[in-house]
Amino acid sequence: MRVPEGVVLLAAGSGSRLAPLTDNCHKSLLPLAGIPALKRTLDEILAAGVEDVVVVTGYRHADIENFLSANYHGIVRCVFNKYYKIDVNILSAELGVMALRHPDHGYMIVETDVIVESKGWEILLDIGDATRSFWATSGKYSESLTGGTLQADSQGNVTSLVYRPLYDSRCKGWLKLLGILYVGRPQVAMDCLTRRRAIMNSIEQYYMMPWTKNLSSLPCFARDLGTHFAASYNDFGSYQYADAEFQRISELRERF
């Protein structure tokens, strides 16, 4: 199993749609089945052997920095995004990538409002020859599951990549993005170039947007988790679902 040399975790956002849960707690530290989501993600990444991990902070950054110091001192590094109030996450992605020791070797970008079971992380962290970029997907785009989505051909190559927060029937049945991107070595330079150009226009956009506009220059494929549980949460309802379902599946896995 070959894992990414570097991983960037995006944890700068305020998670306002999760209020009041996030009034006094960063969304990455909200518990999922009793354990902070950030700890679950970090433990999986570090156990797999990733050696360079950067967490980008912003809102309630001291809480995250103290948590990391207490649990991962000397293992995980932080970088602060002082523009977190207006940045969606494209600047956070740039700051995190630039903080890696060897970004030119390829890297993974992970949003921290995502939960993935262990078997799913085994699929995501096995990057193979490290040359192919991929977007993680789980489930299908639908009226109840909107946002980033992609269409891929029979070999898994991404042919369309879009962001549709409002339901678009043209995307029905496409693969739903999970919030995890791996950038292979051949695409690093173009990923950085297109992201920096986009940042010059506005930081009020997602880090995926340069890819939607430059897909022909950024070949990638879909890495689908199939039946392995994964979910993202950005509001109270989706958080409750992720928490309860992860608890249920964890207990089921332990039983069998």
Side-chain angles (χ1 to χ4, degrees):
M1 178 177 177
R2 184 172 185 174
V3 300
E5 189 167 326
V7 172
V8 174
L9 299 180
L10 306 181
S14 63
S16 58
R17 284 180 288 177
L18 277 159
L21 295 178
T22 50
D23 289 349
N24 298 298
C25 178
H26 192 272
K27 65 179 179 179
S28 68
L29 298 179
L30 290 174
L32 287 167
I35 296 175
L38 183 58
K39 177 172 174 49
R40 288 194 178 278
T41 298
L42 280 171
D43 286 352
E44 295 285 356
I45 290 171
L46 295 172
V50 177
E51 297 182 352
D52 189 14
V53 181
V54 172
V55 179
V56 185
T57 66
Y59 175 70
R60 301 192 69 86
H61 62 95
D63 293 351
I64 297 176
E65 291 160 5
N66 290 336
F67 171 80
L68 294 175
S69 178
N71 293 277
Y72 305 96
H73 184 68
I75 302 173
V76 176
R77 294 175 292 121
C78 286
V79 59
F80 177 63
N81 179 359
K82 65 181 180 180
Y83 298 106
Y84 72 89
K85 290 183 180 179
I86 56 174
D87 176 42
V88 174
N89 64 18
I90 192 170
L91 180 59
S92 285
E94 176 67 11
L95 293 172
V97 168
M98 290 302 96
L100 293 172
R101 298 187 182 98
H102 300 288
D104 55 307
H105 293 181
Y107 42 82
M108 182 172 282
I109 299 173
V110 180
E111 298 178 38
T112 53
D113 53 359
V114 169
I115 184 68
V116 181
E117 68 168 308
S118 293
K119 290 294 183 181
W121 276 114
E122 290 178 15
I123 293 172
L124 295 176
L125 292 170
D126 187 357
I127 61 172
D129 63 7
T131 62
R132 300 186 68 193
S133 298
F134 64 80
W135 289 90
T137 63
S138 178
K140 299 293 180 67
Y141 184 89
S142 65
E143 291 185 62
S144 61
L145 199 60
T146 59
T149 184
L150 64 80
Q151 189 175 44
D153 63 22
S154 58
Q155 284 75 48
N157 299 297
V158 176
T159 56
S160 298
L161 180 69
V162 299
Y163 177 62
R164 295 289 187 270
L166 299 177
Y167 179 67
D168 185 340
S169 60
R170 294 172 295 180
C171 300
K172 181 180 179 180
W174 288 21
L175 297 173
K176 180 69 179 67
L177 293 184
L178 184 59
I180 299 173
L181 165 67
Y182 174 71
V183 180
R185 289 192 183 199
Q187 287 80 51
V188 167
M190 184 57 68
D191 174 52
C192 292
L193 177 62
T194 56
R195 182 170 53 250
R196 289 167 189 168
R197 285 176 175 171
I199 287 171
M200 290 179 67
N201 291 323
S202 173
I203 61 174
E204 294 183 68
Q205 57 181 311
Y206 287 101
Y207 73 95
M208 71 170 285
M209 297 312 292
W211 284 70
T212 67
K213 300 172 182 177
N214 298 278
L215 196 55
S216 61
S217 302
L218 289 164
C220 52
F221 71 102
R223 178 70 67 86
D224 191 63
L225 293 185
T227 60
H228 296 298
F229 178 74
S232 60
Y233 55 94
N234 53 25
D235 57 36
F236 187 70
S238 58
Y239 168 71
Q240 282 189 311
Y241 167 78
D243 183 31
E245 193 66 7
F246 190 76
Q247 178 70 52
R248 185 187 70 81
I249 289 175
S250 297
E251 292 173 353
L252 189 64
R253 295 283 191 268
E254 290 176 4
R255 195 175 307 162
F256 296 99

